[in-house]
Structure formats: C-alpha cells, structure tokens
Amino acid sequence: MTSTADLETQIRERIFAFPTPHFLGVDALNRPVAEQLLALADAFVAVNRQNEKKLSILRGRTLVNLFFENSTRTQMSFELAGKRLGADTMNMAPRTSSIAKGETLIDTAMTLNAMKPDLLVVRHSASGAAELLARKVGCNVINAGDGWHEHPTQALLDALTLMRAFGRVEGLTVAICGDVLHSRVARSNVGLLQTLGAQVRLVGPPTLMPAGVERWGADVFHDMRKGVAGVDVIMMLRLQLERMDGAFVPSTREYFRFYGLDAEKLALARPHVRVMHPGPMNRGVEIDSGVADDPAVSLIRDQVEMGVAARMAVLASLSARGEGGN
Amino acid sequence: MPQSQPTAFINARLVDPESRYDGPGALVVAEGVIADVSRRPRFENLSADLRVVDCAGAMLAPGLIDLRVKTGEPGAEPKETLKSASRAAAAGGVTSIVVQPDTNPAVDDPAMVDFILRRARDIELVHVYPAGAATRHCAGERMTEIGLMREAGAVYFTDGDHSIVNSKTFRRILTYARTFDALVAHRPADPWLTEGACATEGEFAARAGLPASPAVAERIMLERDLAIAELTDGRLLVDQITTETALETLHRFRARGVRALATASINHLCFNEIDTGDYRTFYRLDPPLRPESDRQALIDAVASGLVPIIVSAHAPLPAEDKRLPFSEALPGAVGLETLLPALLGFHHESRASLIDLIRAVTLAPAETLGLQAGRLSAGAPADLVLCDLDAPVRVEADRLISKSKNSPFDGRRLQGQVLMTLVDGRVVHQASA
C-alpha cells in the first residue's frame, strides 16, 4: 500500500489552478476542467481510505464554513475536506449569532473577511447570495447551496460517484426525479451531467417543474414510469415536507404512489440501474427504504464518501489559484 | 434671476407637443408664464429690459410632469424627503411631481394632503401634487374621504404599491370617485400569483432559481380593473403596465370606450430581465423586469399611443435595502434625475419620435390631471427645461442628488444634459458650466 506521503506527492502534481476565483456554479467548468477536477477528486478518495488521512496541501490556510441555512451533512463534509487537507477550519452558523441581532449577510461577510480567511464556504436560502458575497470579500468563495439556484459541489460529487460506479459519465441516461422547481441540486446536476456527455431526463409533477424547463436540454416526463424506463441512473430529489399537503402535491401518499421510487418503478429501468439521493431522505415519501438500503442498487452512501473527496479537490484547486474576489 | 425679470430664450430648438412643433424658435417668459412664442430663432424688436438667454440650439421643452414619485416623507425621511426629491426633480428637468400616498402615515385624509402641499410651498422648487390614498392606511378596506381630499388638492387616488384586492371595495371606490370625476390609479397584479415573487416566470428566472410570477398575473388583475371601470364608468389610471398580454387586454377595453389610461415606467422601456444579470439588485423592481418580447410590446404601445404616459416610478431605497440577496432586496429604483436622459437614449435606439416621447412626460400627464402646464403656448405656466440633446452623460449613482442612490442606470452612458430648469419662471436648476 502506498504511504500517505507518497500519495501527497502524486496529488500535488495533479493540482491545477481553478479556472475562476470562486466556485459559484457549474458553468465555471467546461468539460476538460470538469474531468481534471474529477481525476483529482478520485485521487483524494484513496487518501480518505488510508488510516493516515491528513495532508499538508492547505497547511496554514483558513477555511470558514458560513452556513446561513442548516445543513449538517454538507457542513461536515466541507469541514472534513478542509481538515484532511491540513487547513484550519471554522464553522459559523449566523442563524444563532449576529444575524439574529440584525446584522446583514454583507456585514457578516465583511467581518469575516477582515479576519483574512482563504476559503469561504457559503450556504444561504436566497438564490444569488454566494454571488453577492463573492463580490464583497477577498477570498475564494465556494457556493454550498444558494436558494433554488446551484449546489455545484453536489453535482461534482454525484459525477464522481457515477464515474467510479460506471467508469464513465458520457452516454449514461440519468433521470432526475421529484421537486425540480425548488432544487439547486437538479439545476447543478443538469448542467454538469450534460457537460460530461450524459443524457438527462427530468421527472416530476408539473407543479414541481420550473417554467421553461423544456429548454434545459433535458427530456421532461410527468409520468415517472415512462421517465425511468431504460435509464442507467435514477437520481431522487428531496421533497420538502411543507410542499406537500395540498400546496404543490395533494398528499405524501399520493406523491409516493406516483413519484416515489419503489421496487416496481425501479424494475422499469435498466438491469444495472443505480439509485442516488442527495440526502437527507424522506423514506416512504420519495423513496422506499428497501430501494434506498439495497447495496446492489443504492449509491447513496458512496455519494457521502465522494462528497469529501470532491470538496477536497475543489478546495485544493481554488487555493492553487489563490487571489479571491478583490 | 429674480422672478420678476422677463427673459427671452433665443436660438432654441422648441419642442412643443401641443402644437406638435419641433424646430427653431424663441420664447419669452414673464411673470411666471410663457408670454410669447416665436418660430423664428430670435424676436425682431426685443424690449431692452429683457434678459436674454442664448440657447445655442439646445432643446427648450415643457418641464416634465412625473405622475409617479415615491418619497420617504413622512415616515422614512432618510430615504428621500420632499425637498431632496424636489431638488432631484429640478436637476432632471422635472417640474411637477405627483407623490404617492403610501407613506407612514399614509396620505389618507385632507390634513395629510394639506401637509404635503404646505411642505412643497415651503421648499419652493418644483410643483408637488399629492396623490391621495384610495383606502384608509392604504390597507385596501375602507374608502377614504375622496371628495374632501380632492378639494384639498389631491390629484388622483391610489394605494400606491398596495393592491386593492377586494373587488367590491374597488368597485365602490370607482363608483364613488365618479361623483367628483376623480381619477383612480391601480397597479394590476394578482396578489396570490405574485406573492413572494421577485422575477417574471420563464427561462431566465428558472435558471437563476428566483421565485417568479407568471406574466398573466398582471393581465388577470387588469381584466378585473377594466371590467369594473366599464361597469362603473369610472376613470382608471393603469399604473405601470408591463406585459404584452395585459396590453392586449387594455387595447380591447379601450376599443369599447372604457375610460382607462395607462402609464409605462421608463425602467420597463429601457431594461429587460436579462439586465438583472448576476442578481444585481438595482434591477429588482416591482413589477419585475420582463422578457424582451414584453419590452418590445410596451415600446409599440407607447409608439401607438395605447400607453400615452411615461413615468419615472421613482422609488428611493437606501443601500441597506439593496445590499442583500436578490429575493430579499426591496424593489424599486430612483429615476427623477435620469428620466429625461433615459428617454433621449430610448429615442435614439428606438423608433419613437422625440416629440411623442416628450408628449408622454409633459402634455399627456398634464391633460390627465387637468394642468395648464406641459405645453409651450402663451399663457401657459413657465415650467420649462432647457436641455443639450447632444451632450453625453455618464450616470454615476454616487453623484445623484436623490438621498438614495439605487439607480439601474448607474455606470451607463446616456445622452442629454439638463442645462436649466424653470418653474413658474423661476430658475430652479442650472447646470454648472
């Protein structure tokens, strides 16, 4: 087995400067860059499977997680990614601090900026919030989800998961199912999967589809049975509970009946079909437990593992570029 | 220049929408009114005590009349006061402004109307006309004293940015207002379809992940408003029409003789949703910016006269209301100082003639309110703007006179510099040389 130190040497040779000062959306990535980033992330997977996981690539750098919206999973993933690269990481949940006292997003960012972090990871409930921050701070900003807009590292980790499961992304047919309207995961995935040469389908009730979705270059299905027929991958989206109960769909049981992924609908896909979910899952609402937990089918736990590696690749590459916004 | 000294403006390019004259001319101002107008560049035998201003070919037109201006007075003075708005108006060649009643407290009784008028008299810059609230506190429920407010000087009735959702209330307001031949203004927007929205539904908003409302939200409410105007024979001012589908509705009802006039905001004539770009909140407006097809339809409607009035939709907002994520920022843009240059820029890039555009900000609003201003004829008030049409200007928000700097024209190059603004013959603004 290769030692961590050897791995680090190999990885350092692969690190390249990120094309933009910030990673706000998947449109920052063209195909060669996306593939380079995936290759780098793949190398980090090996590191994460070692006993000794700590590298020194980001030693001396400071990473701040600024999460205006709760997300244990994404926040931990970034924190771990930063720590494994040797950075000092810090979490800030403004919900419980200054924001409650009326401080604005920009004030918080400016305060943080004055402490000279190198990398700022932002999650916010409003679309465009990461963009706004990136214009005001002097470090590299990573969008960890802004409203309904983008969640680019999620798309990257999904692509990495597919790359490792299928050996390629090109030519795969991927059905993204559920609440596309409110989903930043869907927007980022449509963009990146198409860049990498996959065929994307969008499946869901018309009340949960954005206007003009037919112009996203994806085939749109309102009948899930038709939507998943013959696909290689089914990517389920989370349905917020407050959007059921008559607001966008009549009830959870009606939703599960028509848009929940169960063994019967799964059987319509290709025999080797794999299932993904960005988490956290609503079992029995959008996905049946039997499907979610079937190791022969489910890639859901792989996604979590790949999340750390994909984020390490983004952090390393952005740091190699340096020079944030200003 | 003292008010009493008569002045001759010579070598001007007169633009008078009333006589539809656009050409060389000269004009004499005395005792606050236009005393004489000539279509020759100078007068034959000028009296020696006349002060002479050589316009050197600059445009001399009626001062602009802006039917939709928000200030922060009373209640939100740090945004804009009547004084700062008046100074901004004067600098922009706007000589009359109609201020909106949805202030805090609202202008919903005769005493408040009187308050606005007294403040304006003290400031003594431009004409300030209050619009009165249509319902108490602009809450959309109980009718205000429309008759008494009209006597006090309110020029039309509206709840400003607030919708009058209850159709029965809206019907009664239009019916009652007819007694005084009072004009009622209403912004058509279905409250449920537009709830929480900050963009127009479509590809752009979907990709940006912005909560959006469909364009028909405007048409749905407009259909109701016009149907009630037809039912009551009331006079309706459609506040800021923006969509193609609503314009078709307006055309249909106008053809049936319904007494409805519509305004267009300069912002919706100049910008479309793509200008929002990377979530630039200066382009967060209400109604939101529309796709280019709607903008083109609006331009056509202004050209054809279906929409005869253009407003600035001046809505001052401080930085703290704009330095926010797009969906959390408050909607609105300042516009008093940029209305005329923007209009001129619009004239250069579209097929609209200068005289028609000037008419939409002078004579058309004057006739709507029954004002004598808005024209260059002997006896009309000497509310005038002298403007160098060829001077390029670069808008710099920080240098605006308005207390708030939220201009979507920030950084843009426009054409036309206001050289002088006169109100009742008094010089209220003069460009520094």
Side-chain angles (χ1 to χ4, degrees), chain B residues 366-387:
Chain B
E367 286 177 340
T368 302
L369 299 187
L371 303 176
Q372 286 308 302
R375 63 205 89 198
L376 299 181
S377 52
D383 293 353
L384 300 167
V385 56
L386 183 65
C387 178

Side-chain angles (χ1 to χ4, degrees), chain A residues 104-106 110 124-129 131-132 135-136 146 148-149 187 210-212 215-216, chain B residues 201-203 205-212 278-281 320 322-328:
Chain A
T104 67
L105 169 67
I106 288 180
M110 296 309 273
H124 196 282
S125 59
S127 299
E131 178 96 38
L132 176 66
R135 264 182 260 148
K136 304 287 177 186
D146 63 325
W148 310 343
H149 179 222
R187 281 173 181 75
R215 296 178 64 181
W216 287 14
Chain B
E201 194 172 282
E203 199 181 355
R207 283 188 188 276
L210 293 173
D278 297 328
Y279 307 98
R280 282 175 289 175
T281 56
E320 58 265 31
K322 284 293 189 185
R323 293 178 70 200
L324 292 168
F326 194 80
S327 60
E328 294 174 7

Side-chain angles (χ1 to χ4, degrees), chain A residues 189-205:
Chain A
N189 260 310
V190 169
L192 187 60
L193 288 171
Q194 288 178 342
T195 297
L196 292 169
Q199 291 287 320
V200 181
R201 297 182 182 179
L202 294 168
V203 182

Side-chain angles (χ1 to χ4, degrees), chain A residues 6 52 63 89 108 143 190 206 211 239 297 322:
Chain A
D6 290 343
E52 166 61 48
L63 177 146
T89 64
T108 307
N143 181 5
V190 169
L239 181 62
V297 170

